[in-house]
Amino acid sequence: MTGRVVVVGSANVDLVVDVPRHPAGGETILGGDLRRTPGGKGANQAVAAARAGGADTTFVGALGRDDSAELLLASLGGAGVRTDTVDRVDAPTGTALITVSPDGENAIVVAPGANSRVRVGAAQARRIAAADVVLAQLEIPLGTVVAAARERREGALFVLNAAPSRELPEALWEQVDVLVVNEHEAADLVDDAADGTPEALATALLDRVPAVVMTLGSHGSLVARRGGEQVRVPAARVEAVDTTGAGDTSCGVLAAALARTGLAGLAQAARLAGAAGALAVTRPGAQDAVPDAADVAALAETLGKAP
């Protein structure tokens, strides 16, 4: 079983420059050659769900009527992602301006463009209703995210990657089955984050959602479910080249694994997701860095079995 995943989200063309360090306010520095690559959190996650996760994947998004849109459609299609539910709109395709330092860390500014017009129409709703997992992020209108979650069938999971960090309306909280956040995003969502340990943050978030996957960078991730023990998933040791899109790769693989196993397989899904994210940082780019499913499975095996 491959599982069916629908990713509702953003698509951007990434304009990437390697820099000796990220500039301070008001400062100009010289960087390397400009790279133009396909990106955007939603599109990245869709490519990862299909290529690295092996899921039957559909992308719901919006693109302009420009050559940037063609670049993105080619990348999505090349990974096996269905794009017939992507709208073409009279707005520029989204663009991300990215600087990457020698240690692989990035700084990003996004011009949303067409992403502000992502919608759930009749065709999109039908595809969502057939999915096992619906995955969304927060680079598109919150109303669209809520609408997508409400269209899923009974028994299907709604996975929310709450990034970039935003305040969530109650209508969205009540739809979430699995919340994926890093430590900073988790703290932003918790009213009293004074005891900011990952375990404490996860416990607080479980008051709002049934399950949490908290990514911890080089420390792996934390998996928590209501009524169950919290599980630490170790990180693979790799040399980072570019962290752009690594978190998106993890999210896409997590969704693909959950489409096959449901919540019962959450810890093992997080292990596969962590392996995929680790492989992604070893290569430049976002979608270009998404690994193959066989490589993800092989690396995940070295991290041991989930309890």
Side-chain angles (χ1 to χ4, degrees), residues 56-70:
D56 179 341
T57 306
T58 294
F59 178 59
V60 172
L63 298 171
R65 307 180 192 277
D66 47 31
D67 61 347
S68 293
E70 300 307 321

Side-chain angles (χ1 to χ4, degrees), residues 10-226:
S10 58
N12 297 319
V13 167
D14 292 344
L15 302 180
V16 186
V17 179
D18 292 323
V19 293
R21 58 181 172 79
H22 298 296
E27 182 184 20
T28 299
I29 63 173
L30 292 177
D33 292 338
L34 178 70
R35 302 194 301 275
R36 183 172 177 266
T37 62
K41 294 190 71 63
N44 294 345
Q45 291 176 8
V47 167
R51 182 189 301 155
D56 179 341
T57 306
T58 294
F59 178 59
V60 172
L63 298 171
R65 307 180 192 277
D66 47 31
D67 61 347
S68 293
E70 300 307 321
L71 174 67
L72 284 157
L73 288 171
S75 179
L76 288 161
V81 178
R82 300 173 188 264
T83 58
D84 55 311
T85 53
V86 175
D87 284 334
R88 304 297 291 272
V89 301
D90 292 324
T93 295
T95 302
L97 311 175
I98 305 174
T99 56
V100 181
S101 59
D103 61 359
E105 288 299 316
N106 58 59
I108 304 174
V109 176
V110 175
N115 294 312
S116 298
R117 303 190 187 186
V118 178
R119 67 185 183 95
V120 177
Q124 290 84 358
R126 285 193 296 271
R127 192 64 58 81
I128 289 169
D132 300 301
V133 171
V134 179
L135 170 63
Q137 334 73 35
L138 301 178
E139 286 186 336
I140 60 174
L142 288 175
T144 301
V145 177
V146 174
R150 287 175 173 168
E151 292 292 345
R152 74 191 188 282
R153 63 175 174 79
E154 183 177 356
L157 296 176
F158 176 61
V159 179
L160 178 67
N161 175 210
S165 188
R166 299 171 67 176
E167 184 176 351
L168 304 185
E170 187 60 35
L172 184 52
W173 276 114
E174 62 191 21
Q175 295 294 328
V176 177
D177 295 303
V178 181
L179 180 70
V180 182
V181 286
N182 62 28
E183 288 181 85
H184 302 294
E185 292 153 359
D188 287 344
L189 293 172
V190 173
D191 291 335
D192 183 7
D195 181 6
T197 66
E199 287 78 9
L201 291 170
T203 298
L205 289 169
L206 289 177
D207 289 338
R208 306 298 303 270
V209 298
V212 175
V213 176
M214 189 181 306
T215 57
L216 306 172
S218 62
H219 298 291
S221 63
L222 176 68
V223 179
R225 289 184 63 186
R226 285 179 186 162

Side-chain angles (χ1 to χ4, degrees), residues 2 98 198 233 245 285:
T2 60
I98 305 174
V233 175

